[in-house]
Amino acid sequence: MADGENESPAAPTPYEEAMEALSSMINQRTRGTKTTIQFDLLFDYLKILELEDALDGLKIVHVAGTKGKGSTCTFTESILRNCGFRTGLFTSPHLIDVRERFRLDGVDISQEKFLAHFWWCFNRLKTTCFSLNLDHIHVAEFGRYGQERTTEDLPMPPLFRFLTLLAFKIFAAEQVDVAIMEVGLGGRFDATNVVQKPVVCGITSLGYDHMEILGYTLGEIAGEKAGIIKRGIPAFTVQQPDEAMCVLEDEASSLNVDLQVVQPLDVNLLNGLKLGLEGEHQYVNAGLAIALSFTWLRRTGHLELANQEHAGSLPEQFIKGLTAATFQGRAQIVPDQYVDSENDGDLVFYLDGAHSPESMEICAKWFSGAVKGENQPDKVKPQVFDPSSAERVQLEILLFNCMSVRDPELLLPPLMKTCASQDVHFKKALFVPNVSVYHKVGTHNLTSSTVSEPNLSWQLTLQRAWDNSMQNDKGREAKQVDHVPEEKNDDSGKSGGSESSSVVFSSLPLAIKWLRDTVRQNQSVSLQVLVTGSLHLVGDVLKLTRK
C-alpha cells in the first residue's frame, strides 16, 4: 500500500468542532429582523441560560451608531481598563478569529475559556430547544409577557444572537467590572438591546447604511438607533445631521432623557500625544468615549475620577487609554512580510473597513495623508518610504470589494474624488471576491480559490462603476502606469489589460500574488495598497499578510 493511501482525514480539533457548531446557526433570513416577536425570543434564551440575574448585574455601556461605534467602544474600554477596572468588550464583526469579538482586559478571550463557555451555552440551548420541539409542549413559562407560545416559536438562536448571549455569559462568569457592548445592526431590535438597564448609552455618527433593513431616510435610521435609549438612563451623542438629530431628541424626550451632545476631543488635552486610532474623525469618537467613561464612573460610585470631568484637563488614566487603544482593520497600516526585496515598504497595505459613502470619504482622507507621510508616527514612516533612491516611484493601488446590497456608485466616486483632491491618484483598482464565506465561521485555507469558476458578475459591476467614475472625473491629472508590469495572458484569473485602470481577479490570493510579483520585478516601484469596502476583505488580507 502506498504511503498515505486510504488515510483517514485528520479529526477536527475541539475549536474546529465549535466553529462547525457556530456555522450551523448562520441564517441570512434573520439578519436585522424588525419584529417584536422575534426580538422577545431573546428573553426566552436568557431564561434557559439562567442569565437574567447575571445580565442585571452587569454594569454595561451600550453603543449604537452608523460610523465609529466600534472605535468608540474601543476607546471606552481602554480608558476604563487604564482606570484599573476589569473590562469586557463585545464588538463585531471579527476579522480573523471569532474570539476577537470577546475581549477581556483588552485581550481576545483564550481558546480554553471560549470553548468552556461556548459549549455550556450551545448544549444548554440545543438540548432545551430540541426537547421542547420533540414533545410539542407549550412554553408559556418562557414568554416575556406570559403569553402562550408553541415550541415552534423557540428555534435555536441565529448566529449574532447566540454570540450576544455568549458575551453575556462570558462577562458574567469572568466577573468583569464593566461590559462595553457594541450594537450589531440598528439598535431597537438588535440582540444587544435585550439589556434593559445599562449604566449609560451612546449613539455615534449616523449615516446611510443597511438601508434595506433600517430605512431609506436618516430619520428612519435614527429612529432605529434611538431604540437603545432607556428611560432614566443617561444618553450621549455627537453632532448629527438635522434630520437625524431631531429624531434622536424626540425619542429621548419621550423617555424623559436629557440627550447630551458631545463635542470632539480637543487635541491639546492629550498633552502632545496622539490617539491610538488614526484619522481626524477619531477625535469625535474619543470625545464620546470620554463622556461615556466619566458617566460610567460617576454612576457606579467612583467619584474620585468622575469629579475630574470638568477640571479643564484629562486624568492621566484617560490619556493613557486614548493613546494606547488599538482596533484591527480600522485605519491600520500593515507592511507585507512576504515580499523578498531589498527595500522596506515595497508593498504596504492600508486597511480600513469603510463601507458607507461617509466612511469612504473619511477613509480617503486618512489614506491620502498616510501615503504622503502626514501625521504618521515615526515608526511607520521608514516602512512606507525609501528616500535613499530618487528614482523610486510610489504608486497607489486600490483593492476593493463590497456586499452586493451596497451601491458602488455611492461608494467609489467619493473615494476617488477625495483622494484626487489631496493629489493622490490610484494607478490601478483591483476587484476581488472575498475569501471568507458567509455560511462558515472559522479560519480557512487562503492559498488558493476554493471555487474553480467563481461568479465574478458583482466584481465586474464594481469594475464598470470604477471605470465610469474615472471617465467622468474630468479634472483628474493624467498619470502613466508604465511602472506596473504588463499583465500577460495566462491562467492567473484576471480581467483587464495592461493599459486598463482596473482589473478583476478571480481570487484574493491571485491579486496578492500579482502585487508581490510587481514589486519583485520592478525594484524602482513601491506599491501603497488601500484595502477597503468590506471588513471581510480586510480580514482576509490580514490573514494573507501576517506570518
Side-chain angles (χ1 to χ4, degrees):
M1 181 181 295
D3 291 343
E5 187 176 337
N6 296 327
E7 283 188 1
S8 300
T13 66
Y15 193 68
E16 289 171 340
E17 289 180 337
M19 295 304 100
E20 285 295 324
L22 263 183
S23 298
S24 72
M25 289 181 277
I26 295 178
N27 183 348
Q28 292 283 30
R29 291 176 300 173
T30 61
R31 189 171 186 263
T33 301
K34 291 170 61 176
T35 67
T36 302
I37 293 176
Q38 290 294 317
F39 178 76
D40 283 343
L41 291 179
L42 286 160
F43 295 92
D44 302 347
Y45 300 135
L46 286 175
K47 190 174 185 70
I48 292 171
L49 296 174
E50 300 176 357
L51 285 175
E52 294 168 305
D53 292 340
L55 182 57
D56 288 340
L58 288 174
K59 297 178 175 62
I60 291 174
V61 177
H62 197 194
V63 180
T66 306
K67 300 167 292 181
K69 61 183 186 291
S71 297
T72 298
C73 288
T74 298
F75 279 132
T76 304
E77 185 278 332
S78 187
I79 289 171
L80 293 176
R81 173 162 42 89
N82 278 279
C83 287
F85 298 101
R86 179 159 171 74
T87 60
L89 174 63
F90 177 66
T91 59
S92 61
H94 62 274
L95 299 183
I96 297 176
D97 192 307
V98 71
R99 293 180 296 116
E100 297 166 26
R101 298 179 184 236
F102 315 92
R103 305 192 82 185
L104 296 169
D105 291 329
V107 179
D108 298 351
I109 188 172
S110 67
Q111 274 199 22
E112 181 182 6
K113 287 184 177 180
F114 175 86
L115 289 173
H117 296 307
F118 169 82
W119 285 118
W120 190 93
C121 291
F122 183 85
N123 290 333
R124 183 92 175 208
L125 287 168
K126 194 74 173 178
T127 301
T128 305
C129 292
F130 176 78
S131 298
L132 291 173
N133 284 306
L134 184 66
D135 295 338
H136 297 286
I137 63 174
H138 290 273
V139 289
E141 66 270 23
F142 290 112
R144 180 184 177 192
Y145 301 112
Q147 73 269 36
E148 190 170 272
R149 294 206 302 270
T150 64
T151 56
E152 294 174 356
D153 293 328
L154 196 64
M156 281 291 285
L159 180 65
F160 184 76
R161 290 179 184 170
F162 177 84
L163 294 175
T164 303
L165 295 165
L166 180 57
F168 295 140
K169 171 64 176 174
I170 290 171
F171 295 156
E174 296 297 321
Q175 299 181 326
V176 300
D177 298 313
V178 55
I180 299 97
M181 303 292 296
E182 178 195 1
V183 166
L185 193 158
R188 189 176 305 278
F189 294 107
D190 185 74
T192 62
N193 208 32
V194 74
V195 174
Q196 299 297 290
K197 297 177 182 178
V199 175
V200 60
C201 298
I203 298 177
T204 65
S205 300
L206 299 183
Y208 294 99
D209 197 14
H210 301 296
M211 294 178 288
E212 74 282 2
I213 297 170
L214 304 179
Y216 290 89
T217 69
L218 279 179
E220 290 176 308
I221 293 170
E224 292 301 314
K225 308 290 185 181
I228 72 165
I229 299 175
K230 305 293 191 300
R231 187 179 299 275
I233 304 299
F236 295 85
T237 190
V238 298
Q239 291 290 343
Q240 306 282 5
D242 290 343
E243 181 182 356
M245 187 65 82
C246 287
V247 173
L248 296 181
E249 290 174 341
D250 288 346
E251 180 76 13
S253 178
S254 70
L255 296 170
N256 294 319
V257 172
D258 179 21
L259 179 66
Q260 299 185 53
V261 180
V262 179
Q263 298 303 312
L265 169 65
D266 181 349
V267 65
N268 294 317
L269 294 178
L270 294 177
N271 298 336
L273 300 177
K274 288 172 59 71
L275 290 175
L277 306 184
E278 291 290 335
E280 288 300 311
H281 61 290
Q282 294 295 357
Y283 288 91
V284 175
N285 300 326
L288 179 57
I290 290 169
L292 295 173
S293 298
F294 271 127
T295 302
W296 186 90
L297 288 166
R298 186 178 68 254
R299 298 198 74 222
T300 55
H302 301 92
L303 300 181
E304 182 178 350
L305 280 168
N307 289 337
Q308 299 182 45
E309 182 172 8
H310 304 292
S313 62
L314 287 176
E316 180 181 342
Q317 299 93 324
F318 276 53
I319 294 175
K320 186 175 180 180
L322 291 167
T323 57
T326 60
F327 198 22
Q328 273 200 127
R330 284 76 171 178
Q332 182 180 4
I333 302 175
V334 180
D336 186 58
Q337 298 180 14
Y338 287 92
V339 172
D340 182 19
S341 63
E342 298 177 359
N343 302 304
D344 287 337
D346 276 347
L347 178 57
V348 180
F349 293 94
Y350 297 75
L351 309 174
D352 192 86
H355 51 266
S356 71
E358 298 88 353
S359 59
M360 277 292 163
E361 186 174 342
I362 292 171
C363 170
K365 290 178 180 177
W366 162 72
F367 174 69
S368 299
V371 296
K372 294 164 72 173
E374 299 171 2
N375 302 317
Q376 293 300 308
D378 292 338
K379 64 181 180 180
V380 170
K381 287 181 181 178
Q383 294 176 322
V384 177
F385 301 106
D386 177 27
S388 63
S389 175
E391 299 299 321
R392 224 155 158 248
V393 177
Q394 176 178 299
L395 303 179
E396 287 75 39
I397 306 291
L398 174 65
L399 180 57
F400 188 91
N401 192 33
C402 67
M403 294 176 64
S404 59
V405 296
R406 308 196 190 283
D407 185 352
E409 301 290 350
L410 297 179
L411 299 181
L412 293 172
L415 176 67
M416 178 190 296
K417 291 177 180 177
T418 303
C419 286
S421 70
Q422 305 295 315
D423 198 29
V424 171
H425 304 274
F426 292 102
K427 306 307 180 293
K428 239 179 194 12
L430 316 182
F431 299 99
V432 296
N434 292 343
V435 176
S436 297
V437 289
Y438 297 101
H439 62 274
K440 200 83 168 173
V441 179
T443 300
H444 309 291
N445 183 1
L446 305 185
T447 57
S448 62
S449 176
T450 58
V451 181
S452 57
E453 295 184 6
N455 184 346
L456 300 176
S457 58
W458 177 243
Q459 284 67 43
L460 292 170
T461 298
L462 297 175
Q463 182 185 36
R464 285 192 294 271
W466 176 263
D467 290 344
N468 290 338
S469 295
M470 292 284 287
Q471 293 172 5
N472 294 334
D473 189 8
K474 304 298 184 183
R476 182 175 181 271
E477 180 182 351
K479 299 274 183 173
Q480 297 299 317
V481 295
D482 297 341
H483 294 278
V484 178
E486 186 170 321
E487 297 153 23
K488 301 175 182 178
N489 292 323
D490 54 23
D491 59 354
S492 58
K494 294 187 290 290
S495 171
S498 61
E499 299 302 319
S500 174
S501 63
S502 62
V503 187
V504 171
F505 282 88
S506 61
S507 75
L508 175 61
L510 288 174
I512 299 294
K513 180 180 183 300
W514 181 83
L515 290 166
R516 288 170 176 161
D517 288 345
T518 297
V519 296
R520 289 185 184 118
Q521 297 167 13
N522 293 260
Q523 294 299 311
S524 62
V525 167
S526 71
L527 299 184
Q528 315 299 304
V529 184
L530 174 61
V531 182
T532 191
S534 164
L535 278 168
H536 294 284
L537 176 62
V538 166
D540 291 340
V541 171
L542 278 173
K543 295 173 193 174
L544 285 165
T545 56
R546 70 174 189 176
K547 286 189 175 180

